[in-house]
Amino acid sequence: MAKPYVAINIAEVKNDPKTLELFGKVGPKVCMVTARHPGFVGFQNHVQIGVVPLGTRWGGAKMEMSQEMHSIFLFQYTFWKNWKDHEEMHKQNWANLFRLCLQCSDQMIWGPYEPLYEIVYANMPLNTEMTDFTVMMGKKFAAGETVSVPPISQPYGKRVVAFGEHIVKEGLESQFEESAIKTLEAFRSAPGFLGGMILKEIGVSPLGSLQLNARGFHQILETANGMDVPDPVTIYEAPEFKNKPQRYIVHTEWSDTNSLMFGLGRVLIHPEVRQIHDKVLDTLVFGPYIRVLNPMMEGTYWREYLNEYHL
């Protein structure tokens, strides 16, 4: 089974209670429309709560800043059997998605912007509540299977995500991927580490980014209520927006912010891990810039798909 592709819809919004209210109200409806397409295999929606200030590189950054930031970023992941499924879904459901997204326009500061990614590496656990964990271990024991203890990755706001942005110098992509994979493998022994993925950007969705042609742009601005659906005509297709140098996201999940901070800190103070990660740093022209995200909603079946569990 092929690893799924990921579309990440990014938007900067006002940091106030109405934003989270709309996120909880509109987000599930968007997911229900998205799920009409058979290529859809799951979602995970996040709110940014802070920034990783490794070695106090950024004096104003904190792991938890949700009450201090004027604006916050939303990162809405959708997973697909193929990136073409995502683009087809947008075309088939354009009017519904446009109307739903425009309900949030009063809270919007920047975006939306929706890059597409190939998963080049993944070691992600299934989400497990404590009740599920005991049942799973009991079944293994009863069947006489080898009992290996998986990470207890609890869903729905009970863990944190490190969203690491990297841009790699042309010609050094293989070195970056190899060294980044070794770094994630080294994190396995860090307390609280749940898993990680390396996402390679392959394009940007034009409809997911509301990147219409001039006529569509004016149609949005000139309507009385902003809800009249513009023509879904764009000037590019997703693969044409391929960034050079190559952009990557390193997505890691941790049990809490302290585990994230001290776990990632191994790249600075654990000699062996530092040597591995230094080979990552020596490929970069941008980054690493790492945001701390709180997973707020998730259809966890993408993890089952990623781990080749049949639905």
Side-chain angles (χ1 to χ4, degrees), residues 247-278:
R247 294 173 177 262
Y248 290 88
I249 299 298
V250 178
H251 170 112
T252 56
E253 299 192 356
W254 304 80
S255 60
D256 53 51
T257 52
N258 284 332
S259 295
L260 190 163
M261 178 173 63
F262 288 110
L264 289 185
R266 292 184 173 214
V267 302
L268 300 178
I269 57 178
H270 188 299
E272 289 79 10
V273 180
R274 177 170 173 160
Q275 289 178 14
I276 296 170
H277 188 256
D278 281 354

Side-chain angles (χ1 to χ4, degrees), residues 8 28 48 126-127 129 148 165 175 193 198 210 224 229 276 293 296:
I8 303 181
Q48 182 182 359
L126 301 178
N127 284 149
E129 285 286 11
S148 57
E165 300 165 86
Q175 178 181 324
F193 179 69
I198 297 174
L210 292 185
V229 179
I276 296 170
L293 313 183
M296 298 293 289

Side-chain angles (χ1 to χ4, degrees), residues 9 49 61 67 84 94 104 146 203 214 235 241 262 276 309:
N9 193 286
I49 60 171
Q67 301 303 311
K84 294 179 182 178
W94 167 244
C104 304
T146 301
I235 60 172
F241 196 154
F262 288 110
I276 296 170
Y309 281 74

Side-chain angles (χ1 to χ4, degrees), residues 28-275:
K29 293 183 179 182
V30 172
C31 290
M32 285 188 279
V33 173
T34 302
R36 292 175 181 172
H37 197 286
F40 175 69
V41 293
F43 69 95
Q44 181 171 294
N45 293 344
H46 313 78
V47 174
Q48 182 182 359
I49 60 171
V51 179
V52 177
L54 284 178
T56 65
R57 179 179 176 186
W58 305 279
K62 298 178 184 177
M63 301 289 286
E64 215 318 324
M65 302 177 65
S66 56
Q67 301 303 311
E68 301 175 44
M69 294 186 291
H70 169 72
S71 62
I72 54 177
F73 276 84
L74 304 180
F75 294 84
Q76 302 180 75
Y77 290 34
T78 53
F79 294 84
W80 304 86
K81 295 176 182 177
N82 191 290
W83 66 266
K84 294 179 182 178
D85 294 330
H86 175 268
E87 295 306 287
E88 183 177 76
M89 181 281 302
H90 264 290
K91 292 174 183 177
Q92 292 174 347
N93 300 286
W94 167 244
N96 294 70
L97 291 174
F98 179 81
R99 290 192 179 102
L100 285 169
C101 291
L102 261 289
Q103 289 184 38
C104 304
S105 62
D106 287 348
Q107 302 302 106
M108 190 83 69
I109 294 173
W110 176 93
Y113 178 66
E114 191 165 35
L116 303 167
Y117 299 88
E118 173 190 357
I119 299 178
V120 298
Y121 167 86
N123 173 31
M124 296 296 294
L126 301 178
N127 284 149
T128 310
E129 285 286 11
M130 290 304 297
T131 50
D132 306 320
F133 181 79
T134 53
V135 170
M136 178 178 60
M137 297 299 290
K139 285 181 178 179
K140 284 191 173 186
F141 181 78
E145 298 178 10
T146 301
V147 179
S148 57
V149 180
I152 303 177
S153 174
Q154 298 189 84
Y156 321 127
K158 300 175 185 177
R159 65 188 189 282
V160 291
V161 168
F163 183 90
E165 300 165 86
H166 304 70
I167 303 179
V168 175
K169 182 179 178 181
E170 288 191 68
L172 297 181
E173 294 87 356
S174 295
Q175 178 181 324
F176 169 83
E177 291 182 20
E178 179 182 347
S179 300
I181 289 171
K182 289 180 179 178
T183 302
L184 293 188
E185 292 290 334
F187 284 156
R188 286 194 183 198
S189 57
F193 179 69
L194 303 175
M197 300 186 290
I198 297 174
L199 311 178
K200 181 179 182 179
E201 187 173 316
I202 59 169
V204 177
S205 173
L207 289 180
S209 304
L210 292 185
Q211 196 65 47
L212 307 179
N213 67 357
R215 173 180 169 81
F217 177 78
H218 290 297
Q219 283 180 302
I220 293 175
L221 294 179
E222 294 170 2
T223 56
N225 58 8
M227 298 298 285
D228 293 345
V229 179
D231 299 329
V233 180
T234 64
I235 60 172
Y236 74 94
E237 296 295 326
E240 294 180 281
F241 196 154
K242 190 177 187 313
N243 284 286
K244 289 188 177 181
Q246 182 65 55
R247 294 173 177 262
Y248 290 88
I249 299 298
V250 178
H251 170 112
T252 56
E253 299 192 356
W254 304 80
S255 60
D256 53 51
T257 52
N258 284 332
S259 295
L260 190 163
M261 178 173 63
F262 288 110
L264 289 185
R266 292 184 173 214
V267 302
L268 300 178
I269 57 178
H270 188 299
E272 289 79 10
V273 180
R274 177 170 173 160
Q275 289 178 14

